Amino acid sequence: MEHYNITGIGTEGLREKQEDFMATEFVEMEAGRPLMGRVKNPYSSSLSSRQMESLKALCDTYLPSIDGFHTKHDESTARFYQTSASVAGTPQRLGGLISERLQHPKLFMARLALWFLSTSIGTFALCGIASLSGNFPYLQKFSQVAPEKREQIVLSWSRSIIFPLRLLFTALKVLILLVFFSQVDDKEENLSWKAIGYCGPDPDFKRQTQRIKTLKQMFESAEDQKQDEASAEELFGPLYKGIVNLDRPKQFVFEKLQNAGFSVSASSHLKNAKSKYNRPSFRIKCDAVVVGSGSGGGVVAGILAKAGYKTLVLEKGNYFARTNLSLLEGSTMDQMYLGSGFMATEKMDVIFLAGSTVGGGSAVNWSSSIRTPPHVIKEWSESYELELFDSKLYEEALDAVCQKMGVQSEIENEGFNNMVLRKGCEELGYPVNTIPRNATADHYCGWCCFGCKDGRKKGTLETWLVDLLNSGNGLILPECKAIRVLHKRKNKKKGRHAVGVAFKFQNQGVEEIGIVESKVTIVACGALSTPELLIKSGLKNPNIGKHLHIHPVAMAWGYFPDTTPDPWPEAEKKSYEGGIMTAMSTVVANFEGSGYGAVIQTPALHPGMFSALMPWTSGRDFKDRMCKFSRTAHVFALARDKGSGKLLYPNSITYNMDKIDEENIKRGLEKVLRILASAGAEEIGTHHVKGRSINVKKVSYTEFDKFVKEESSRSLKDLATPICSAHQMGSCRMGVDPKISVANPIGETWEIEGLYLADSSVFPTALGVNPMVTVQAIAYCTAQSVLESLRRKRGK
């Protein structure tokens, strides 16, 4: 049927598309058979053979083959210990990521280090005397160094006084371990998963996939149009009618746009045009163009379209309907996260997670739906003189967005991590609250960070973007990267005003330019991407990209074995299952005061991210740690940060943690360690590079207390402990003075009339809690301002 071809992402169609896209390769053999079958490797490596030789040796240093487990363990565990990273095909996949996907200002240093390690002199320079051979000529390249000495070298990097060596250790550790534990073969399996107690994608989703195959057959043969519509929505998601893929034939695309009421014209190329924006493939005219489809852009687009204005949404990421998700960590990070999930600061001391797909962060976040705290409303309205936040409009906005998302606080069955957090707090007398979620009470799913398989998590692609399409006034263009906001001067006396957006897209492997001409332009790319677009668009406000807040997070872990006579949590409970966030403690949050403290919550950690964060002290020790994965609870402290960062175009982020923020996180970590122990953990530890842990059951209280105080007082800086950020804010903040802000109190930029910002970048300060509700509420208010502007333009 015609609408099936519009999206081109039916269940079987997606699999065929993936098979065409994925290059496969045979991995090395052991005992005459491939250990992982055919490993999917979507990217080709441009690393030289010498660099690949070094990369292979490094991969096998972090994850070596370890013998001696044939009799003591089951077959899957023995195979996990015996298999090295190179046998699993990890170097090839990582080489492809380094060549085609990773974007980091220090990436050249990694390539240079690989080349240095492929030479004997370079190896000696980076590794010292530990790399020397006992035989003439003594110098040898890294791949020739004995495995046990390679481990010593790598470990020495992690604790070196030379920062670039610590940086090299961290980058290699994160990349190698994340790739190894998230890569899959052609059966969508990983050789380590059974050994570490991981089931892979949600078992319910696997069963759902079988049902979808049957449904697809019914859909293709159905004669009843109504049945077709219902089946199509279940197959392709609620947005399937409004997705316009620009890699389709031009005539098809133009008809789709014109049928929705958009004016489209193919551009005639100007032979002597100096700018690429003067030779686009086509032009689309509309009332409003929204760049970004997440919690900010999705809200604005839905409101404008429902009010009767032709609204076009440009989204850099792709659209993944419920049934077209993979729920696989590796492919999801690559396809649905900014920078393939490898975003980091220049120093690699902060790792960022940000959604980059239709629905933005709301498609992959952890469901937490907390209203703007009263102390933040007070600070923003009084200290920053933003009257909006103490207005009836903002209160109306909070109510409207929570109602739209179905926010509620009931839980039928709590997951492993949150059970641990709740019990530990109750044992210690710490406050613990149930987190409101934009999901139903029975939504027991730990895979929502990879998209929602059944639509019970109400992100924008299940709510506001549905309004956009049901209105008949809006469409979504995925895989379109905005490259410039277009603006011009009305006359010599007046300032500039926005007239649209230029964007690029791929059509059958060829990059093309499109132009959207609009009456108003709304940028909602997120706090990490909006500044780049504004700078590339010629805006000069010095505040663009500054004042970046990130809610820095540090974690601790506790191991709860399931082999005890009466295990708790129950033996069938796994750390990666259940609602990701249902419990929160404010014991060190300081909500009664300034709000500059730390909240205590739980993360979603599947094998890849778990491995990237856990300390590495040797190959054997690390595999031991991974075998405890499914019964290791993680709890974190999240600070409302006074410290801030800066985005420097292109691909460079710096962040300076304030001493107060570090102290708040340390106070939070101390509470977290006590919570884990009080909940019944056998072993506890942090992510500090030294990898210390303690068996709570075998030590005295004095020893336990000493360990907690020592581990929670350690420095968080200089890569000692991985700092994570899933919330980025403030990089184009709102204010009443253009000297200290980028947008005015109604969300319009000071420099360009008709250019509005509607994402977390406009936050005046860090928020201190999960920002989705606040982003949507601000966007709701900004949409009212945009509506006023459009009404005035319509009246002219």
Side-chain angles (χ1 to χ4, degrees), residues 512-562:
E512 297 188 32
I513 300 293
I515 297 288
V516 179
E517 297 177 358
S518 61
K519 298 174 183 176
V520 293
T521 299
I522 300 93
V523 173
C525 308
L528 294 181
S529 298
T530 288
E532 178 185 344
L533 178 58
L534 297 187
I535 291 170
K536 289 168 68 175
S537 301
L539 276 73
K540 304 297 183 183
N541 189 309
N543 295 289
I544 296 173
K546 294 182 180 179
H547 316 296
L548 173 69
H549 299 286
I550 66 169
H551 282 171
V553 162
M555 306 187 200
W557 56 269
Y559 174 54
F560 294 77
D562 56 5

Side-chain angles (χ1 to χ4, degrees), residues 63-81:
L63 289 168
S65 171
I66 299 170
D67 293 324
F69 292 86
H70 297 82
T71 57
K72 294 194 298 182
H73 294 72
D74 59 69
E75 181 182 350
S76 62
T77 305
R79 187 166 68 133
F80 168 52
Y81 276 91

Side-chain angles (χ1 to χ4, degrees), residues 557-730:
W557 56 269
Y559 174 54
F560 294 77
D562 56 5
T563 54
T564 57
D566 187 20
W568 187 92
E570 297 85 345
E572 64 273 13
K573 290 270 189 177
K574 305 298 181 186
S575 63
Y576 52 88
E577 296 177 336
I580 297 169
M581 279 188 168
T582 54
M584 176 177 77
S585 177
T586 57
V587 64
V588 291
N590 193 24
F591 277 6
E592 296 76 18
S594 67
Y596 284 97
V599 295
I600 295 174
Q601 299 176 324
T602 62
L605 291 181
H606 289 255
M609 285 303 297
F610 179 98
S611 68
L613 296 175
M614 287 295 280
W616 184 96
T617 57
S618 73
R620 179 185 291 270
D621 175 77
F622 196 80
K623 289 193 174 184
D624 290 343
R625 291 176 187 265
M626 289 304 299
C627 284
K628 298 176 181 179
F629 160 75
S630 67
R631 296 289 295 183
T632 298
H634 268 86
V635 180
F636 64 73
L638 176 152
R640 184 188 183 203
D641 50 326
K642 284 180 174 289
S644 65
K646 184 186 298 185
L647 291 135
L648 304 171
Y649 173 75
N651 303 320
S652 179
I653 307 172
T654 61
Y655 182 78
N656 295 310
M657 186 182 295
D658 192 283
K659 290 182 179 179
I660 294 175
D661 301 332
E662 183 170 8
E663 289 305 312
N664 286 333
I665 293 176
K666 288 178 180 179
R667 289 175 59 223
L669 273 179
E670 181 184 359
K671 301 297 185 185
V672 167
L673 287 166
R674 297 186 188 280
I675 287 167
L676 290 164
S678 297
E682 178 183 282
E683 183 184 9
I684 61 172
T686 65
H687 288 159
H688 192 274
V689 69
K690 289 189 176 180
R692 288 184 66 208
S693 65
I694 192 171
N695 190 311
V696 181
K697 310 295 186 184
K698 295 181 179 180
V699 297
S700 66
Y701 179 78
T702 301
E703 291 174 297
F704 163 74
D705 193 56
K706 180 182 178 183
F707 174 84
V708 168
K709 289 179 178 178
E710 287 178 351
E711 287 302 300
S712 60
S713 65
R714 292 184 182 277
S715 173
L716 301 177
K717 297 180 180 179
D718 296 331
L719 311 178
T721 296
I723 296 296
C724 302
S725 167
H727 309 149
Q728 299 88 38
M729 305 147 283

